[in-house]
Amino acid sequence: KNIMLKNILDACGGALGFWAVGFGVAYEPGSFIGTSGPRFFLNDYGNYIDFFFQFTFAATAATIVAGTVAERCKMVAYLCYSLFLTGFVYPVVVHAIWNGDGFLSAFAENPVRGVGMIDFAGSGVVHMTGGATALVAAIILGPRIGRFHDEDGNLLDKPHSFPPHSVALQVLGTFILWFGWYGFNPGSTLAISPAGYGDVAALCAVTTTLAAASGAVSSMFTDTLLGFIAEGETEYDLSRCMNGCLGGLVGITAGCSVVEPWAAAVIGVIAGIIYVFASKLLVALRIDDAVDAIPVHFFNGAWGCIATGLFAAPRHTALAYGATNCGLFYSNGNLLVNEILGVGFVLLWVVAVMTPFFFALNMLGMFRVDPLEEKVGLDISHHKGAAYDLSEPKKEDVEIYASTHGKVEKFHDSA
């Protein structure tokens, strides 16, 4: 119940925060943020599909954090940072990179170094912003009880794993996300009928597919190889495969409109490897990310931007952006410099703003649930009972039924 409610509130808080303030901050004119105009509260702004499409990106940035802080974050804290992230933090990043007035925007009248920063569908703007927020939250919130230490506070020899309740739902969720990515990446052309737009959208669909597939395969086999080297056993981890797929999707999101198909496959392969090692790094640093959202979104969000600066092909940048500047592998380093600047800006901005925000929530006792509430589970302690009714019929009722209706399988008392 807890995590499902948080996902609902992501959509609700994101809609309200982005409608009231975020949309205007992101897209109205201004040097650092949009200051006034019809996009605030949609006051006399008639392009409703524009708001709806951009709202989905804002809500996505917020929902990245939910998985990282699962099982120990208070609901009031979640609602507070969901509103703050979609209403201010994320829109400032959007303004800098996607608004024509932004200092890194590829759509500016005179873009920096002649090309600006290319982040077509949000590797940096959306995923890195959400991932960096999740990283700050995880560090301040601390790990789940029993993850790295026993009840006496002694460090465990091996971190404790909390298995998922349904691997089938994990797989289904992965496929839903992969399918939804075709709305984000090809959909970021924002049109299909003008000349050339259909070609850009088609390229986005192909590169998205190849990066997802190669990310899944490379992640799974990288983990298998590491396991074989360490333990001499050959095992294939489904979770690594699924998150590697998502890592490949995040990694291609920035450059999906400007890289060749072969480059998309390479980007996906590297994204899968980055995910595995980033996940292991967090464990080594004892940073508890319940669903590996930080390796998927933060690390691969940064990789997606840098990969664009390496692999952007001139024929595709000319079609999608009207710019001849391209990636380093095509003999031009201007775009790569801008991508690195963009990654640095997103990281510094999010850390500078969200660190004091989460510290304030923590000091006010609004961030983390009590240890006993965490042990019994947030569904029971905060949401009027467990999400799944696993109770069995009374033993005496089964025995009476058996005696009057014939033989039944022996009843096992769960106690």
Side-chain angles (χ1 to χ4, degrees):
K1 288 182 181 178
N2 182 262
I3 196 65
M4 288 187 283
L5 180 57
K6 285 176 179 175
N7 278 283
I8 292 175
L9 290 179
D10 273 327
C12 298
L16 295 174
F18 201 65
W19 162 71
V21 180
F23 191 40
V25 169
Y27 288 106
E28 290 295 347
S31 57
F32 181 65
I33 62 173
T35 53
S36 63
R39 289 179 177 85
F40 289 94
F41 293 95
L42 296 184
N43 184 25
D44 294 328
Y45 186 75
N47 191 357
Y48 296 126
I49 190 60
D50 181 30
F51 165 79
F52 177 76
F53 188 70
Q54 299 303 332
F55 142 71
T56 62
F57 283 76
T60 298
T63 198
I64 290 169
V65 190
T68 295
V69 300
E71 303 177 19
R72 61 205 191 275
C73 178
K74 284 187 175 180
M75 186 61 64
V76 63
Y78 191 82
L79 187 57
C80 286
Y81 77 68
S82 182
L83 286 168
F84 186 54
L85 185 64
T86 56
F88 181 65
V89 179
Y90 165 79
V92 169
V93 178
V94 173
H95 190 90
I97 299 172
W98 284 347
N99 188 312
D101 288 346
F103 75 99
L104 283 171
S105 178
F107 307 105
E109 185 174 345
N110 295 301
V112 60
R113 292 180 180 82
V115 66
M117 177 185 179
I118 293 179
D119 186 0
F120 189 72
S123 287
V125 174
V126 178
H127 297 281
M128 193 180 169
T129 298
T133 302
L135 178 60
V136 174
I139 293 172
I140 297 174
L141 187 62
R144 289 165 289 177
I145 295 174
R147 174 66 168 135
F148 299 115
H149 300 85
D150 61 22
E151 292 185 357
D152 298 323
N154 300 312
L155 186 65
L156 297 173
D157 294 333
K158 184 178 181 180
H160 176 68
S161 297
F162 298 85
H165 83 282
S166 174
V167 176
L169 288 179
Q170 278 187 296
V171 174
L172 178 61
T174 301
F175 274 115
I176 291 173
L177 284 169
W178 188 346
F179 181 76
W181 234 278
Y182 294 112
F184 277 98
N185 287 6
S188 288
T189 58
L190 302 181
I192 199 71
S193 56
Y197 279 58
D199 295 331
V200 174
L203 175 65
C204 290
V206 171
T207 55
T208 298
T209 302
L210 294 175
S214 57
V217 173
S218 74
S219 174
M220 185 181 69
F221 282 107
T222 298
D223 182 73
T224 298
L225 178 61
L226 294 175
F228 180 78
I229 293 172
E231 302 175 2
E233 297 288 340
T234 301
E235 297 176 318
Y236 305 97
D237 192 318
L238 177 60
S239 294
R240 293 293 196 200
C241 181
M242 291 185 291
N243 279 335
C245 173
L246 299 182
L249 288 165
V250 172
I252 197 60
T253 296
C256 60
S257 65
V258 295
V259 302
E260 299 287 355
W262 66 264
V266 173
I267 291 169
V269 168
I270 296 174
I273 297 171
I274 288 174
Y275 159 68
V276 172
F277 282 98
S279 178
K280 292 182 178 296
L281 175 63
L282 291 186
V283 173
L285 296 174
R286 293 196 283 278
I287 298 173
D288 186 16
D289 183 350
V291 298
D292 269 351
I294 297 168
V296 169
H297 296 279
F298 174 70
F299 284 93
N300 274 309
W303 161 239
C305 296
I306 293 171
T308 303
L310 296 173
F311 292 100
R315 70 187 183 109
H316 295 313
T317 57
L319 181 60
Y321 286 88
T324 55
N325 281 349
C326 50
L328 182 64
F329 293 155
Y330 294 87
S331 72
N332 193 316
N334 288 334
L335 179 58
L336 179 60
V337 173
N338 291 346
E339 300 295 326
I340 294 173
L341 286 175
V343 167
F345 166 71
V346 173
L347 178 60
L348 290 175
W349 167 250
V350 173
V351 170
V353 176
M354 296 309 297
T355 299
F357 181 81
F358 283 127
F359 264 123
L361 288 177
N362 202 36
M363 291 180 64
L364 293 171
M366 298 171 59
F367 201 10
R368 181 157 188 155
V369 300
D370 295 333
L372 182 59
E373 294 176 332
E374 183 178 343
K375 288 179 180 178
V376 301
L378 300 189
D379 284 4
I380 293 174
S381 60
H382 284 70
H383 304 290
K384 300 181 180 181
Y388 302 96
D389 182 8
L390 302 178
S391 59
E392 296 177 327
K394 293 181 180 179
K395 182 178 180 180
E396 54 269 28
D397 292 339
V398 175
E399 291 173 347
I400 293 173
Y401 179 84
S403 64
T404 58
H405 291 78
K407 185 179 179 180
V408 296
E409 291 185 10
K410 184 178 179 180
F411 180 79
H412 298 280
D413 191 345
S414 60

